[in-house]
């Protein structure tokens, strides 16, 4: 969990830098969208086990903040409008992942479970994503009602998205591009110390001194 959290910290810093300087990378952002969704799926599935010892909502908040960066500022750093359309399409396609996360947050907020305040922050940051899902779900349902017997295709969903941006109202979220300054010492030292210890232990278990063929080295 700590490693994933650091990876998301890198993503957030990268997006903030791109937004600040309006840098448009020639990159297929759909890969990142889907990897972040997969991470949320994993957390939703294993929260009951992993959440006993780790505050998984801190990691969820980082992922949701990254999505909000794309939603709010994507027009300043995404390479073209198609990348922005793909973001909305992906959010709609995997709506159950965000809805499950929202339910998980509400479960912690309404009970005496730990990490209640972290869950509350995630729930608040899901506001725009939930609005996007509701808005475009209603628009696709209108399309289906107007075209009985037809199954809406991905291209048609994208067309619905492009035609209905103007009627979508989102809330401006503060501090999306703000982050704590990286300081290895003392905050990150325990993580790297434990990582090195685990690496040495795994290497020692895999390659004992008795297994080395010294004759081959001569």
């Amino acid at each position: 969990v700590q490693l994933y959290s650091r990876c998301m910290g890198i993503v957030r810093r990268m997006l903030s830098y791109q937004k600040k300087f309006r840098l448009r990378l020639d990159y297929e952002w759909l890969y990142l969208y889907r990897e972040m969704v997969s991470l949320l799926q994993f957390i939703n599935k294993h929260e009951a086990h992993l959440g006993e010892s780790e505050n998984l909502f801190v990691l969820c908040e980082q992922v949701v903040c990254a999505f909000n960066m794309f939603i709010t500022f994507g027009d300043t750093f995404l390479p073209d409008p198609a990348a922005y359309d793909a973001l909305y399409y992906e959010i709609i396609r995997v709506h159950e992942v965000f809805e499950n996360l929202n339910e998980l947050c509400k479960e912690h907020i309404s009970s005496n479970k730990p990490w209640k305040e972290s869950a509350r922050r995630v729930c608040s940051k899901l506001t725009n994503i939930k609005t996007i899902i509701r808005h475009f779900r209603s628009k696709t349902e209108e399309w289906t009602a107007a075209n009985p017997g037809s199954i809406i295709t991905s291209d048609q969903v994208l067309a619905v998205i492009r035609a209905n941006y103007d009627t979508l109202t989102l809330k401006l979220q503060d501090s999306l591009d703000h982050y704590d300054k990286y300081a290895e010492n003392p905050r990150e030292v325990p993580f790297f110390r434990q990582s090195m210890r685990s690496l040495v232990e795994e290497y020692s278990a895999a390659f004992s001194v008795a297994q080395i063929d010294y004759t081959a080295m001569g």
Side-chain angles (χ1 to χ4, degrees):
V1 173
Q2 293 183 39
L3 184 58
Y4 280 116
S5 182
R6 282 158 179 79
C7 289
M8 287 308 306
I10 293 171
V11 169
R12 192 171 177 184
R13 287 167 171 79
M14 178 188 69
L15 296 179
S16 298
Y17 185 85
Q18 287 184 252
K19 178 250 180 183
K20 181 178 180 180
F21 295 101
R22 294 181 174 269
L23 299 176
R24 300 183 186 273
L25 298 182
D26 184 16
Y27 174 70
E28 183 56 71
W29 290 102
L30 183 60
Y31 296 136
L32 180 58
Y33 304 156
R34 290 181 174 174
E35 289 304 320
M36 292 195 298
V37 167
S38 294
L39 182 53
L40 291 180
Q41 284 178 313
F42 179 84
I43 292 172
N44 283 334
K45 184 177 180 180
H46 298 284
E47 186 276 337
H49 170 62
L50 296 175
E52 295 178 358
S53 58
E54 294 274 2
N55 184 357
L56 298 177
F57 293 106
V58 173
L59 178 55
C60 291
E61 185 177 2
Q62 290 179 299
V63 177
V64 174
C65 279
F67 272 109
N68 281 323
M69 281 285 292
F70 282 109
I71 293 167
T72 307
F73 304 117
D75 60 321
T76 67
F77 60 79
L78 289 174
D80 51 44
Y84 199 68
D85 299 338
L87 167 67
Y88 278 69
Y89 179 88
E90 192 65 16
I91 290 172
I92 297 164
R93 186 182 70 85
V94 298
H95 63 91
E96 289 184 353
V97 175
F98 295 107
E99 290 166 352
N100 290 340
L101 177 59
N102 187 59
E103 290 302 314
L104 183 63
C105 291
K106 291 196 294 186
E107 179 184 336
H108 278 257
I109 293 169
S110 61
S111 68
N112 291 322
K113 290 187 176 183
W115 332 125
K116 180 183 294 187
E117 291 308 312
S118 295
R120 196 185 307 277
R121 289 196 300 272
V122 175
C123 198
S124 175
K125 288 179 169 58
L126 281 168
T127 299
N128 281 342
I129 293 175
K130 290 187 293 184
T131 299
I132 289 169
I133 292 170
R134 285 195 302 269
H135 178 73
F136 288 106
R137 176 185 288 162
S138 68
K139 298 303 179 183
T140 54
E141 288 174 352
E142 289 175 9
W143 186 97
T144 301
N147 297 271
S150 299
I151 299 176
I152 191 168
T153 66
S154 58
D155 287 339
Q156 288 164 336
V157 172
L158 285 168
V160 169
I161 290 171
R162 296 186 191 104
N164 289 281
Y165 280 128
D166 291 345
T167 54
L168 175 66
T169 303
L170 301 176
K171 293 183 178 179
L172 182 62
Q173 299 195 6
D174 297 329
S175 304
L176 289 176
D177 56 344
H178 293 176
Y179 48 83
D180 294 333
K181 185 177 180 180
Y182 180 82
E184 183 175 326
N185 190 15
R187 186 169 54 192
E188 302 291 343
V189 168
F191 169 75
F192 287 113
R193 183 183 292 124
Q194 181 59 42
S195 297
M196 289 303 299
R197 184 180 292 116
S198 298
L199 180 62
V200 170
E201 290 175 352
E202 291 177 8
Y203 184 86
S204 298
F207 301 98
S208 65
V209 174
Q211 292 177 315
I212 300 177
D213 185 359
Y214 291 97
T215 59
M217 298 173 62

